[in-house]
Amino acid sequence: EPEVTQTPSHQVTQMGQEVILRCVPISNHLYFYWYRQILGQKVEFLVSFYNNEISEKSEIFDDQFSVERPDGSNFTLKIRSTKLEDSAMYFCASSADRLPNYGYTFGSGTRLTVV
Amino acid sequence: AQTVTQSQPEMSVQEAETVTLSCTYDTSESDYYLFWYKQPPSRQMILVIRQEAYKQQNATENRFSVNFQKAAKSFSLKISDSQLGDAAMYFCAYRSRTGNQFYFGTGTSLTVIP
């Protein structure tokens, strides 16, 4: 069964450093998403991306975040200057349709630890 | 904004027994989707079951079924004949019919006791 692949599975970074989280969505999917889950809290929506532009973003997704689909296969989330509160599990997801009746396909997540 | 509440942070069940996980939500919309996702230790979130709000009939997928009470805004998941592989974090999620953003609960960690 097709999978969404995320790398790395765990990343440790120093506060103030830039970090890039990588995702390879399912190949025929057109819509891409990032969610995050701070330990013990809800999974929260960050951003959705379609046709090489952001289609929707949450309040969390401020100027320190950016997304990109640099080469037609990868979908990346960049955090420019990490803060301690950015420590979380980050999930990438993709879907073939804008309003997927059957939900997204999620990746296994990248655990980001900011020290 | 829509909110999803899972009031049971942890649950346990004996193997082969039945367990019910609770979920309530708040919305002013009349048409939406509800989902249960499973996140095993391998961490990939897997769709377990979905329910369309305009359908009266409760969804069923093999050993998994839901009790959807629209008026009460309740969406519980029943797992029958629990297996060791059912041990995971279970998330309830809401999505409006016209939006592509999911709203998740905080999750319920299910332990299956051999």
Side-chain angles (χ1 to χ4, degrees):
Chain A
E1 188 163 335
E3 290 187 348
V4 174
T5 305
Q6 289 187 245
T7 55
S9 57
H10 189 191
Q11 172 122 23
V12 181
T13 188
Q14 286 203 319
M15 190 169 57
Q17 295 296 305
E18 175 183 284
V19 66
I20 297 176
L21 309 183
R22 291 184 165 77
C23 169
V24 179
I26 292 173
S27 61
N28 64 344
H29 283 187
L30 301 175
Y31 297 85
F32 315 109
Y33 314 88
W34 283 101
Y35 282 74
R36 79 171 185 191
Q37 183 186 21
I38 295 172
L39 187 63
Q41 298 185 22
K42 297 184 179 187
V43 177
E44 301 171 293
F45 171 77
L46 292 178
V47 67
S48 60
F49 189 87
Y50 168 71
N51 199 27
N52 280 321
E53 60 183 28
I54 292 172
S55 48
E56 192 176 348
K57 62 182 181 178
S58 71
E59 294 175 354
I60 303 167
F61 194 88
D62 61 22
D63 290 345
Q64 72 159 342
F65 290 92
S66 63
V67 289
E68 194 178 32
R69 189 157 159 79
D71 56 12
S73 62
N74 290 284
F75 178 50
T76 61
L77 174 68
K78 182 192 290 185
I79 309 175
R80 287 190 184 78
S81 177
T82 50
K83 305 171 190 170
L84 294 177
E85 54 265 38
D86 294 326
S87 294
M89 182 73 83
Y90 288 81
F91 292 101
C92 174
S94 69
S95 65
D97 303 310
R98 177 179 170 270
L99 299 176
N101 291 345
Y102 288 88
Y104 309 149
T105 302
F106 282 91
S108 298
T110 294
R111 179 167 296 286
L112 176 66
T113 302
V114 182
V115 298
Chain B
Q2 288 76 13
T3 57
V4 177
T5 302
Q6 293 178 250
S7 59
Q8 306 154 316
E10 296 178 344
M11 291 282 284
S12 61
V13 62
Q14 291 284 144
E15 195 175 2
E17 297 294 309
T18 295
V19 65
T20 298
L21 308 184
S22 301
C23 173
T24 59
Y25 58 94
D26 188 25
T27 184
S28 57
E29 297 173 333
S30 59
D31 202 5
Y32 46 87
Y33 296 98
L34 295 164
F35 303 82
W36 278 98
Y37 277 89
K38 169 185 175 182
Q39 185 184 31
S42 66
R43 298 181 300 159
Q44 183 164 17
M45 276 207 279
I46 302 163
L47 178 65
V48 174
I49 198 166
R50 66 184 272 274
Q51 175 81 39
E52 297 172 59
Y54 64 87
K55 288 190 176 178
Q56 302 268 357
Q57 188 172 7
N58 289 324
T60 300
E61 290 287 340
N62 301 313
R63 298 182 295 107
F64 298 87
S65 61
V66 299
N67 183 6
F68 172 50
Q69 301 288 330
K70 191 172 183 180
K73 295 179 182 174
S74 169
F75 182 62
S76 59
L77 174 69
K78 185 170 86 171
I79 307 173
S80 304
D81 184 26
S82 298
Q83 301 175 358
L84 295 178
D86 294 334
M89 181 72 82
Y90 286 81
F91 291 99
C92 179
Y94 169 103
R95 203 204 88 206
S96 73
R97 190 164 187 85
T98 56
N100 62 7
Q101 180 181 151
F102 278 65
Y103 297 89
F104 286 88
T106 49
T108 296
S109 178
L110 178 67
T111 300
V112 180
I113 303 165

